[in-house]
Amino acid sequence: MIYTVTFNPAIDYVVHMDKMQFGLTNRSKSEEYYFGGKGINVSTVLTNLGFENKALGFVAGFTGETIEEGIKKIGIKTDFIHLKKGISRINIKIKDTEETEINCQGPDISQEEINSLYEKTDLIKDGDTLVLAGSIPDSLPKDIYENIMERLKDKDIKFVVDATKNLLLNVLKYHPFLIKPNNYELGEMFGVEIAKDDDEKIIKYAKELQKMGAINVLVSLAGNGSILVDENGNSHKMGVAPVKVVNSVGAGDSMVAGFIAGYQQTQDYGYALRLGTACGGATANSKGLATKEKVDKLLNLI
């Protein structure tokens, strides 16, 4: 089973308009909403590809109930902690000539509720995959990634971690199966600047992360594609999918989902990277997240 954890799920409310004018009443051209959070994004794409998974995390209030019911309808299994106070976030995404986002705080989470999540993750078994992705709300301990992985370290679990700087560096001792920094984040961890087209430096520092414990390092490079340094020491470079970008939200999460699905399917890192690239491109070319139909079309073009 594949498990994802979303500490701070959200309803992403997308508003389209001609031009946002601050200080005035603005009228939208159209709106849509999506159920978001990095773990939920991964779960959604995995489900669209036909891979069974279960979403863990915290939900609260009427918005939390809407998120849970909404993702259940598309086939995602859930086992959320229902918080006693507050509501899950509604994030505002304004799209006119530019993209403007307002990401809200989300509810407070008590120690009792944190312990409930630990109890659920303790049930993950040998052979399962656990995806930990995204930032940590202020009411959670900053070492919650480490706490979860420490409790599971003696099991044969594939950890997938998509986080930044210290959040990522602090879990390398648990030998995550996959980490996915971008070139900027990779440089930030080592105090250097790494350009998107500097393959030699990207591979060098990806291998440094492997020395620190990571098994596979996937470095995303925006328009320059991505580079994977796998556990066998092989480097794979992949360009981007040949699509027009209409949406940047969730593309990286979609790549993670595609990589997991591709590896589970074939145990081939080259194919996993290819499927991950197709999933990222399918989301970038969609209003929502990647569908299997669009992924299959792009897979033949990459």
Side-chain angles (χ1 to χ4, degrees), residues 276-296:
T277 300
C279 289
T283 289
N285 188 236
S286 307
K287 284 187 175 181
L289 295 171
T291 63
K292 189 174 189 307
E293 181 182 14
K294 185 163 279 191
V295 169
D296 288 344

Side-chain angles (χ1 to χ4, degrees), residues 38-173:
K38 292 180 75 64
I40 287 176
N41 291 343
V42 172
S43 276
T44 299
V45 175
L46 284 169
T47 300
N48 291 347
L49 294 175
F51 284 77
E52 185 181 22
N53 66 92
K54 183 176 286 186
L56 308 177
F58 303 100
V59 292
F62 74 99
T63 47
E65 291 175 6
T66 301
I67 291 168
E68 183 166 27
E69 290 306 311
I71 67 174
K72 278 182 177 179
K73 284 180 180 177
I74 66 168
I76 299 173
K77 294 182 177 181
T78 67
D79 194 10
F80 288 118
I81 308 297
H82 290 258
L83 303 178
K84 296 174 183 176
K85 297 180 180 179
I87 63 169
S88 294
R89 300 181 296 162
I90 301 175
N91 294 332
I92 311 298
K93 317 287 184 180
I94 300 170
K95 296 196 175 186
D96 52 12
T97 54
E98 298 178 310
E99 288 188 18
T100 301
E101 298 187 11
I102 303 172
N103 288 342
C104 297
Q105 288 291 317
D108 288 336
I109 302 166
S110 70
Q111 185 60 52
E112 180 185 358
E113 290 160 338
I114 294 168
N115 292 340
S116 294
L117 178 65
Y118 290 151
E119 290 169 6
K120 290 185 185 295
T121 57
D122 284 347
L123 300 176
I124 297 173
K125 300 176 182 177
D126 288 346
D128 289 338
T129 297
L130 174 61
V131 181
L132 297 169
S135 60
I136 296 174
D138 290 341
S139 58
L140 291 181
K142 297 307 177 188
D143 59 354
I144 192 165
Y145 277 28
E146 294 170 77
N147 294 343
I148 290 171
M149 295 170 77
E150 172 68 25
R151 296 167 75 104
L152 298 173
K153 67 180 181 179
D154 295 327
K155 296 183 182 181
D156 180 22
I157 293 169
K158 285 185 170 66
F159 296 115
V160 176
V161 182
D162 186 3
T164 58
K165 205 172 180 182
N166 290 337
L167 263 182
L168 187 56
L169 290 172
N170 290 341
V171 301
L172 295 180
K173 59 193 173 189

